[in-house]
Amino acid sequence: MIKSFRLVKHMSENSVTFVFIGEFDLSRTCELQGELDPYLYEPDRKLVFDFKDLRYIDSTGIGIILVVIKARAEIKAGFEIRNIPPHINRLFDIAGISKFLNNNAV
């Protein structure tokens, strides 16, 4: 079965928002990295992940979030995850990364 995933990008003068839709796993890592790389070290725009429509994330996805947290902290740039579904937020709690996120759980 092919897992459904889409990544939608919204840009403004002050931020870049990536909306995650569906199931994000190892097979989608290259897609995200290709879209994310131009903005990862851009200090003048806040980087936002919106997880409102994210149904699943695996350990690879959590690892990418850790890389983003570290990269954005190094350049003192904003990063936020919005609309984290409760089941995803629970994974973040277990992984110990919730304390590093500015998020609004749904």
Side-chain angles (χ1 to χ4, degrees), residues 15-56:
S15 67
V16 178
T17 300
F18 290 94
V19 180
F20 289 65
I21 302 167
E23 300 181 10
F24 181 67
D25 62 15
L26 176 63
S27 68
R28 301 308 186 154
T29 303
C30 289
E31 178 182 347
L32 175 62
Q33 287 180 320
E35 290 288 329
L36 181 60
D37 280 351
Y39 309 103
L40 188 58
Y41 289 100
E42 185 179 319
D44 297 330
R45 284 192 193 163
K46 183 177 196 175
L47 184 59
V48 179
F49 288 178
D50 188 329
F51 283 177
K52 181 178 180 184
D53 295 314
L54 183 66
R55 291 189 310 267
Y56 172 82

